[in-house]
Amino acid sequence: MLKRIDLGRNYRNHKEEYLKAIEAVCEETAFSGGRFADKFDEEFAAYLGVRAAAGVDNGTSALQLAMLALGVGEGDEVIVPANTYIASAWGPTYTGATPVFVDCTKDTWEIDPDRIEEKITEKTKAIIGVHLYGQPFEFGKVKEIAERHGLFIVEDCAQSHGAKYEGRMTGTLGDLGCFSFYPGKNLYAFGEGGSVVSDKEEYIDAINTWKNQGCKVTYYHDVVGYNMRMEGIQGAVLSVSLKYLDEWTRRRKEIGERYIREIKNPRITMQAHPANTEPVYHLFVIMVPEAEQFVEYMAGKGIECHRHYPVPCHLQKAYAHLGYREGDCPNAEYLAAHCVTLPLFPEMEEEEVEMVIEACNKYEG
């Protein structure tokens, strides 16, 4: 069975480097925060071209701390795409704010700028834009709206490491960029990890205090803080992987662009990729009329597919109290009902790519 993503191949390819990095952390017993986590912060900020990065324990914490840094809290509202992983909405929720869900476009499946302003109220404080599946959202239009209404923009870059919008790295466009290094991301840790990045160092300084139990100096707690430090082992592993990210991204692009060129089945609809963006194909999501049937068909061909994400955020039970109903975000709802994710990871062999393309083209429903 061809896996949707096979992390074991990456580990085996770089096993000696990974184990050497982990051993160095163990020798120094620098397990929580410390030199190796700090080193990765510096390297990641330099890679993106931002002034500072704050490594944290996961991408969800990154979103929560970004909200805190912007002063988002009780009584505030934050615009969030309906089509995204639920963690995008947890950030404002954890600070006491209310996520306000906006539909996606019919073609890119990213947040629809034309639907944002109708959701803005006097309580709106920020917009979270998600570069979903590794495809940058239409930042330019969102920025115009944010500036018109005096709103912050937070980029959820959990799936867009290395992607670009008009030549600029995602994570460097808005007030803050939030990354996840969950296993399976384009850049991933051996467990959990995340980062908040910004050119505004005052935000990163505040986040570094919050994530470290509210301390700048050990045992002196300036604010009510959290235990959200990045682990040293994760920092060391990420430092190894960051060296190869561009190489892995090139291979992802090769596979993704080949899928686009060679999958010709009219029953399959693909995500649009505007010319002013450079996607990194974290997930290669398609739409088919019979999603579950297609997944079963591909499994029969020895190909594992997944579904990202079968229930849009506004219809999740966790947010039932907000009163959303079916039909409120029709594009996101249609995508959720028809989405399937094809295998795509840098270590795929050419014959495996061909196998996926052939199976897709032979699907008849």
Side-chain angles (χ1 to χ4, degrees):
M1 174 72 77
L2 171 62
K3 294 182 179 180
R4 206 278 301 165
I5 181 171
D6 190 343
L7 301 184
R9 298 187 190 185
N10 174 274
Y11 173 70
R12 289 186 290 274
N13 286 347
H14 303 284
K15 180 177 179 178
E16 290 186 10
E17 284 186 271
Y18 285 137
L19 293 182
K20 183 178 179 180
I22 292 169
E23 183 178 12
V25 178
C26 293
E27 288 289 345
E28 293 190 23
T29 64
F31 298 124
S32 182
R35 181 171 75 88
F36 297 93
D38 293 344
K39 179 174 178 286
F40 174 71
D41 283 346
E42 295 173 3
E43 293 168 345
F44 192 53
Y47 174 81
L48 294 174
V50 292
R51 291 182 181 174
V56 294
D57 56 342
N58 58 65
T60 307
S61 294
L63 289 160
Q64 179 181 349
L65 292 171
M67 293 293 101
L68 288 174
L70 297 176
V72 173
E74 198 75 36
D76 293 328
E77 294 178 351
V78 176
I79 301 293
V80 179
N83 177 41
T84 184
Y85 181 60
I86 196 69
S88 303
W90 290 156
T93 300
Y94 290 165
T95 67
T98 300
V100 176
F101 295 110
V102 170
D103 204 2
C104 64
T105 67
K106 289 184 178 181
D107 54 359
T108 67
W109 308 335
E110 308 294 334
I111 191 168
D112 187 346
D114 294 336
R115 300 275 75 84
I116 291 177
E117 283 193 285
E118 64 193 40
K119 298 293 184 74
I120 293 174
T121 72
E122 68 278 1
K123 296 180 180 180
T124 307
K125 193 80 172 277
I127 301 169
I128 295 178
V130 183
H131 304 295
L132 199 66
Y133 315 139
Q135 168 59 47
F137 67 87
E138 183 50 70
F139 181 81
K141 290 183 179 179
V142 174
K143 183 180 180 182
E144 290 177 5
I145 294 167
E147 289 179 343
R148 191 154 55 242
H149 294 273
L151 305 177
F152 297 110
I153 300 178
V154 172
E155 297 173 75
D156 183 338
C157 308
Q159 301 181 1
S160 69
H161 314 70
K164 294 180 180 180
Y165 175 85
E166 296 187 348
R168 293 178 59 188
M169 289 271 197
T170 59
T172 71
L173 306 167
D175 294 283
L176 291 157
C178 297
F179 289 83
S180 168
F181 305 123
Y182 181 80
K185 303 296 186 185
N186 293 28
L187 178 67
Y188 68 91
F190 284 11
E192 300 281 352
S195 182
V196 187
V197 305
S198 182
D199 278 329
K200 297 179 180 178
E201 294 185 62
E202 63 269 26
Y203 291 155
I204 302 302
D205 289 343
I207 287 169
N208 280 328
T209 300
W210 275 312
K211 77 178 188 184
N212 190 35
Q213 303 285 15
C215 293
K216 293 182 179 178
V217 178
T218 303
Y219 303 131
Y220 292 82
H221 306 275
D222 301 327
V223 294
V224 176
Y226 304 87
N227 184 5
M228 293 179 173
R229 294 179 294 270
M230 175 177 281
E231 295 178 346
I233 285 176
Q234 308 308 342
V237 166
L238 287 163
S239 287
V240 172
S241 294
L242 184 60
K243 295 187 298 182
Y244 298 100
L245 179 57
D246 286 344
E247 175 186 326
W248 297 338
T249 299
R250 283 192 293 272
R251 179 58 179 155
R252 285 181 177 273
K253 288 180 177 180
E254 288 176 0
I255 298 169
E257 290 167 4
R258 189 171 175 196
Y259 282 170
I260 292 170
R261 288 194 310 270
E262 298 184 30
I263 296 176
K264 302 294 186 181
N265 192 328
R267 300 185 69 79
I268 293 175
T269 301
M270 297 188 186
Q271 184 182 27
H273 303 289
N276 64 340
T277 66
E278 296 179 37
V280 291
Y281 301 102
H282 168 63
L283 299 173
F284 199 94
V285 177
I286 61 173
M287 284 198 301
V288 291
E290 318 86 1
E292 292 296 343
Q293 180 178 320
F294 182 84
V295 171
E296 292 176 7
Y297 161 82
M298 293 294 276
K301 297 288 186 180
I303 301 168
E304 180 184 51
C305 295
H306 291 160
R307 301 199 56 214
H308 297 84
Y309 303 96
V311 181
C313 290
H314 67 294
L315 297 181
Q316 292 285 353
K317 186 176 180 180
Y319 286 118
H321 64 283
L322 297 180
Y324 289 93
R325 298 288 184 269
E326 288 188 14
D328 287 342
C329 297
N331 295 335
E333 291 165 28
Y334 187 86
L335 176 63
H338 299 89
C339 62
V340 174
T341 306
L342 302 179
L344 195 159
F345 53 94
E347 298 79 17
M348 283 181 73
E349 303 289 344
E350 285 301 313
E351 57 267 27
E352 293 172 329
V353 177
E354 292 168 4
M355 181 170 69
V356 174
I357 293 168
E358 182 179 4
C360 286
N361 283 332
K362 288 184 176 179
Y363 177 68
E364 297 180 352

